[in-house]
Amino acid sequence: MVKQVRQVSQTRPAKAERTSGGERFAAVGRAAVTWLRSLRGRTIVLAAGAAVVVAAVAVAGVLLFRHDDRPPIPDTRARHYTEVDACLLTDKKGITAGAAAEVWQGMQDASLKTHARVSYAPVTGEQSAANARPFLNGLLQRSCDVVLAVGWPEVTAAAQTAPQYGKVGFVLVGTGSGDKAGAKGGANVTRVDTGDGLRADVAGAVERAVDGRA
C-alpha cells in the first residue's frame, strides 16, 4: 500500500503539467481566432474601399468618353468673316505709329461692317521701292483682294504694280515717288491723302473696294 501511494504522488505533477499545457494551447487558439477575426475585418474594409475607388473610376470614364450628340452651342461673340482679304503694306515700323496706325484703325472699322479679314506686312531692310516690291508680291500671292500701301516706297511699288492686277483693289495712302506715281492708276486704284479724317477715309475706301470684290 505504501508503495502504491508513492506512485500516485509521483504521477500528480505530470497531470498538472498536461493541464497547464492544455490551457496554454487554448489561450493560443483563442488569440489566433481573435487575430483572424480582426484580419477579416480589415480585409473587408480594404475590399470596400477598393470597390469605391473602382466605382469612381468607372463613373469618371463614362463621363469622359460619353458621346454627346447634341450640336455645340454657337459663340455669338465670334465674328464670321467673308472670303475677302484686305492687306496693308507698311514700312519697317509697322502699325505702331504715324499714318500707318490710322490706316490700320480704318481697316478695322471697315472690317466690322464688311466682315473682311484684315492683315498687314512691314517692309524690313532697305526702305526703297525695289525692296518693297517682294513684300508686295507676297501679299498678292496670298490672294489679297484689297491691297493698301502707306509710306513713300510702299506706295510707289504698289502704284507701279497695280496695272498688272486689275482684279485687285489698291488703296494708296499719301504721295508716291517723285513723279507722284501714287496719284496715278487705273480703275482699281484709290488714293487717300494723309491728314485729318484719314481713318474714316481709309474705312470708306476699303468698304467700297470690298463691295466691288463681292
Side-chain angles (χ1 to χ4, degrees), residues 48 74 79 123 145 189-190:
R79 185 189 305 178
V123 175
D145 303 283
V189 176
T190 301

Side-chain angles (χ1 to χ4, degrees), residues 3 8 12 31 34 55 96-97 103 106-107 113 155 157-158 165:
K3 192 172 185 179
V8 172
R12 286 178 181 174
T34 303
T96 57
V103 172
M107 292 176 64
K113 292 184 178 181
V155 170
Y165 294 86

Side-chain angles (χ1 to χ4, degrees), residues 167-181:
K167 295 183 179 181
V168 177
F170 285 82
V171 178
L172 310 181
V173 181
T175 58
S177 62
D179 61 352
K180 295 185 183 293

Side-chain angles (χ1 to χ4, degrees), residues 31-126:
V33 172
T34 303
W35 178 79
L36 289 174
R37 289 178 178 176
S38 63
L39 179 62
R40 184 176 58 183
R42 287 195 296 269
T43 304
I44 293 173
V45 172
L46 291 175
V52 171
V53 172
V54 171
V57 171
V59 172
V62 171
L63 293 178
L64 181 62
F65 294 102
R66 184 179 59 183
H67 179 66
D68 193 350
D69 294 328
R70 294 176 299 177
I73 299 175
D75 187 357
T76 57
R77 298 172 299 177
R79 185 189 305 178
H80 299 284
Y81 290 98
T82 61
E83 295 301 321
V84 178
D85 290 274
C87 309
L88 171 63
L89 187 67
T90 73
D91 62 14
K92 61 182 179 181
K93 296 180 181 179
I95 57 173
T96 57
E102 293 188 57
V103 172
W104 179 246
Q105 291 172 349
M107 292 176 64
Q108 291 180 312
D109 294 340
S111 177
L112 289 174
K113 292 184 178 181
T114 64
H115 291 180
R117 294 185 293 258
V118 294
S119 61
Y120 75 96
V123 175
T124 58
E126 180 184 353

